[in-house]
Amino acid sequence: MTTAMWFTPPFTRHPTSIINCTYNHHHALDASYVKRAADLSDKSACFTSPHPNFGCVIATARNVVGEGYLYAQGTKPAEVQAVEAAGEFCRGATAYVNMEPGDCHGDFTAVSAFIKAGITRVVIGIRHPLPHLRGKAIQALRTEGLQVDVLGEDIRSISIEDALKSCLVVNAPLLYRSACRVPFSVLKYAMTLDGKIAATSGHASWISSKESRSRVFELRGRSDAVIVGGNTVRKDNPRLTPRHGGGHLPMRIVMSQTLNLPEVANLWDVREVPTIVATQRGARRSFQKFLASKGVEVVEFDILNPKDVVDYLYDRGYLSILWECGGTLSASAISAGVIHKVHAFVAPKIIGGKNAPSPVGELGMVEMTQALELIDVSYEQIGSDVLISGYLQPIPDMTPVIPSVDETSAIDPSLSPYDSPIIFFYKTWDPYGSFSNFSPHPIRLPDENGDYVTWSSVEHYYQAHKFVGSSNPNARSYIEAICSAKSPEEAARMGRRTQREHSDMVRADWESMKIEVMYKALKCKFSIYPHLNSMLLSTSGCILVEASPHDLFWGGGRDGEGLNYLGRLLMKLRSEFLGDDDTHKLEISGGY
């Protein structure tokens, strides 16, 4: 399995240009091998039941010396195959994988193979999306002294984009399952140029070309299950088999509320391929018995709808679902938000007909501005047809978004933005809600005259100190009012409103002092309450993110665009406590 890949050396350039060229060239070479691993991982599609797709390429200098891909669950890992193919050439070589190795054997088989073979560097396309496996292999490899580079983390350049996309696409079902807790659902239909999936009579054989129908067989072979509605069974009597000669046959599922289905149908023949009929609870008990006598599994739902069906299929362990239904069920599935991708085969035919069915029924939209737009759209000529493919929902990006990631690493160098666990806190009733500046923990700190004052919360202290030291003589009344506020929320409203409406009341140095004011109050709070102190110290090694979607200064923002100063101050305080245990114990025991 040894192949070679040759590249022309760069032209002579200015020294700086040569450095940049070499840097980009190495990234491009890494990306090309990772993409090759992703392409390899897809080779078992249609022939084995869908599973996480793993591919591995081992290269030394510019030559590929070993390759492998996971054929099916329970078979030899891709990494082991590649190591065996490369043999002695593994020593000092680089291994490229499309996804972080998993530990399905319980003994880190893939990781051990790399270590024992003498691999010195591993380049990974994406981290494993499953939480119990994410980062485990990377940490194990690095612990053994191997250099591990992950696309988008350790390797960042425009040249990796195609490779990274390939890694995401080839394992899209696993990513959707992990992030959304539903199977990856694809809607497929064939229609004429004027948007019809059948003639007015209902006749639909054949809209698409033979080549397009072969592609549909491939799509079925990549799926755990194929779903149709009762109308499709009545009118088309489909088999829903791949018919490609491969070994994988997807489960066939019929959704029918009333079980108004024919007694004779290809789907009731389950000698080679199983069938499930999903229906409303209590529907046609006699027909349910008939289906059971044929070996068809009947599953009842209190209310039959696409969301409950995909939730059920998720519980059965399915990764991907292909919907080959008519317009009514398609519209219901889209409205339920369960469709992630669409494959539309458009044939160069016109059938007309006012009442001829369309691929998607009523969605309740009345203006074109409401139309759903596909993203990452592609176009492919298949025979005489055009296949238009795109996503209704983007492939989930499992990379954690850490607000102000560079500043976080500076506060605690032991934290890794990709490996460290993340703790989000926001409202006081959250598991870590006591970290909030709104938590009901009174603090006692001196005022500007040195007299100790009790503040009902950190937020009371913070809001009042916007006006401490103000040159305006009326500021004192606002400070007292905030101090007497019945709740942190009321204190916040008063402070913000006064700052907005009476900016002359605000102390001149507030913008430069507000972080110090907040830190002083937080340090007091976590010093005088032992249980809060223990909670903070228990998060050692974790990144703390204040999860407010609106406060972009103290919080992390909706998409990680915030500065997360509250989380950063807590991590700084944690580091201070951990680094000065003796002084800290005195503070706790003696008060602050």
Side-chain angles (χ1 to χ4, degrees):
M1 195 182 289
T2 302
T3 59
M5 190 175 294
W6 306 103
F7 292 86
T8 304
F11 296 107
T12 302
R13 294 189 177 99
H14 184 275
T16 303
S17 299
I18 292 176
I19 293 174
N20 291 335
C21 176
T22 303
Y23 182 74
N24 291 330
H25 174 70
H26 286 161
H27 282 183
L29 192 59
D30 287 339
S32 69
Y33 287 146
V34 171
K35 188 175 187 306
R36 170 63 182 165
D39 293 341
L40 281 171
S41 74
D42 197 42
K43 292 186 71 172
S44 67
C46 301
F47 294 95
T48 64
S49 178
H51 52 76
N53 294 311
F54 289 99
C56 179
V57 173
I58 296 177
T60 173
R62 296 175 180 176
N63 296 327
V64 173
V65 295
E67 294 181 336
Y69 66 90
L70 181 66
Y71 177 74
Q73 295 183 76
T75 61
K76 186 178 295 185
E79 300 85 353
V80 175
Q81 295 178 47
V83 165
E84 291 178 350
E88 62 183 17
F89 293 106
C90 284
R91 194 155 300 280
T94 298
Y96 298 86
V97 291
N98 61 297
M99 187 167 74
E100 178 184 8
D103 184 26
C104 58
H105 293 262
D107 57 0
F108 281 111
T109 301
V111 171
S112 299
F114 286 156
I115 295 170
K116 292 177 181 178
I119 296 291
T120 56
R121 179 175 179 245
V122 180
V123 180
I124 296 174
I126 60 173
R127 288 174 177 257
H128 205 294
L130 299 181
H132 68 287
L133 294 174
R134 186 177 181 85
K136 296 293 179 62
I138 292 173
Q139 183 179 8
L141 289 166
R142 286 174 173 163
T143 299
E144 292 294 331
L146 279 72
Q147 178 184 343
V148 181
D149 295 319
V150 182
L151 298 191
E153 297 179 17
D154 309 288
I155 302 176
R156 301 183 185 184
S157 72
I158 195 170
S159 62
I160 71 169
E161 290 181 359
D162 284 345
L164 190 54
K165 179 180 177 182
S166 296
C167 294
L168 294 172
V169 169
V170 78
N171 271 308
L174 187 64
L175 291 165
Y176 278 103
R177 179 178 174 83
S178 178
C180 308
R181 301 185 66 82
V182 293
F184 177 51
S185 286
V186 178
L187 173 63
K188 163 262 152 187
Y189 56 81
M191 68 178 186
T192 61
L193 200 58
D194 55 338
K196 309 298 182 181
I197 60 172
T200 303
S201 64
H203 187 267
S205 301
W206 296 103
I207 291 175
S208 57
S209 64
K210 183 178 180 180
E211 293 85 353
S212 292
R213 296 198 295 277
S214 294
R215 177 62 65 86
V216 172
F217 298 154
E218 180 183 332
L219 292 174
R220 290 175 184 167
R222 290 174 175 271
S223 306
D224 272 322
V226 181
I227 293 181
V228 296
N231 199 42
T232 299
V233 177
R234 289 188 293 270
K235 292 188 174 182
D236 298 343
N237 192 21
R239 291 187 177 86
L240 301 182
T241 54
R243 284 176 276 176
H244 52 40
H248 174 56
L249 300 172
M251 176 73 75
R252 303 172 301 184
I253 299 175
V254 179
M255 289 181 61
S256 174
Q257 286 187 336
T258 62
L259 286 187
N260 180 23
L261 301 171
E263 291 191 0
V264 178
N266 290 321
L267 295 179
W268 308 158
D269 182 353
V270 296
R271 287 173 295 179
E272 294 185 5
V273 190
T275 299
I276 293 176
V277 173
T279 188
Q280 200 101 335
R281 191 171 304 281
R284 291 190 68 189
R285 293 291 189 189
S286 59
F287 194 73
Q288 289 191 36
K289 292 181 180 179
F290 166 77
L291 291 175
S293 70
K294 292 286 188 177
V296 175
E297 181 181 355
V298 179
V299 180
E300 293 182 296
F301 293 82
D302 291 333
I303 299 178
L304 184 65
N305 61 77
K307 182 64 172 65
D308 286 349
V309 170
V310 297
D311 286 345
Y312 170 78
L313 297 178
Y314 170 86
D315 290 339
R316 288 184 69 133
Y318 290 3
L319 278 178
S320 56
I321 309 296
L322 182 65
W323 296 70
E324 293 194 59
C325 44
T328 301
L329 184 52
S330 293
S332 180
I334 290 173
S335 297
V338 303
I339 300 298
H340 304 112
K341 189 174 185 180
V342 176
H343 288 302
F345 294 84
V346 183
K349 301 175 181 179
I350 295 176
I351 189 67
K354 179 180 179 180
N355 297 319
S358 64
V360 180
E362 181 59 53
L363 291 175
M365 299 178 183
V366 296
E367 296 181 359
M368 193 56 66
T369 53
Q370 297 175 289
L372 302 175
E373 293 191 35
L374 300 184
I375 56 178
D376 197 14
V377 180
S378 63
Y379 306 87
E380 181 182 355
Q381 178 103 30
I382 300 181
S384 58
D385 306 329
V386 174
L387 171 59
I388 303 175
S389 303
Y391 292 84
L392 280 172
Q393 302 179 38
I395 298 176
D397 184 357
M398 304 295 288
T399 303
V401 178
I402 310 297
S404 303
V405 62
D406 294 334
E407 291 81 358
T408 296
S409 298
I411 291 171
D412 187 346
S414 68
L415 297 177
S416 165
Y418 303 106
D419 293 318
S420 299
I422 305 172
I423 293 176
F424 294 95
F425 64 95
Y426 180 25
K427 296 298 185 181
T428 58
W429 56 79
D430 292 337
Y432 289 88
S434 294
F435 288 178
S436 170
N437 46 307
F438 282 72
S439 72
H441 295 94
I443 59 175
R444 186 172 173 79
L445 284 169
D447 61 14
E448 67 270 29
N449 298 319
D451 299 324
Y452 275 83
V453 177
T454 298
W455 304 87
S456 298
S457 72
V458 168
E459 185 65 12
H460 282 79
Y461 179 87
Y462 173 78
Q463 292 295 339
H465 276 69
K466 291 178 177 179
F467 315 105
V468 170
S470 171
S471 59
N472 193 312
N474 296 322
R476 169 51 55 182
S477 62
Y478 288 98
I479 295 172
E480 293 173 354
I482 292 172
C483 184
S484 301
K486 294 181 178 180
S487 71
E489 288 79 7
E490 185 177 332
R493 284 195 299 270
M494 293 172 64
R496 292 166 184 166
R497 184 174 63 247
T498 303
Q499 182 181 14
R500 184 173 60 252
E501 298 177 357
H502 304 285
S503 57
D504 59 308
M505 294 284 183
V506 181
R507 56 194 284 183
D509 62 349
W510 177 241
E511 287 303 315
S512 63
M513 289 297 296
K514 62 182 182 182
I515 294 176
E516 182 179 329
V517 168
M518 180 67 81
Y519 189 69
K520 185 176 182 179
L522 290 172
K523 187 172 183 180
C524 178
K525 169 181 164 181
F526 284 92
S527 294
I528 63 178
Y529 294 98
H531 70 287
L532 295 185
N533 179 268
S534 297
M535 179 183 289
L536 180 62
L537 296 186
S538 72
T539 67
S540 178
C542 299
I543 296 172
L544 304 180
V545 177
E546 203 278 359
S548 169
H550 309 296
D551 190 337
L552 301 186
F553 184 82
W554 295 111
R558 190 176 301 279
D559 298 309
E561 74 276 25
L563 296 175
N564 188 38
Y565 264 106
L566 187 59
R568 287 155 62 181
L569 289 183
L570 289 172
M571 287 185 283
K572 177 183 177 182
L573 185 60
R574 181 181 66 195
S575 296
E576 181 179 335
F577 285 165
L578 290 171
D580 192 7
D581 286 341
D582 292 338
T583 302
H584 175 52
K585 288 175 182 176
L586 288 174
E587 289 176 348
I588 293 178
S589 60
Y592 186 88

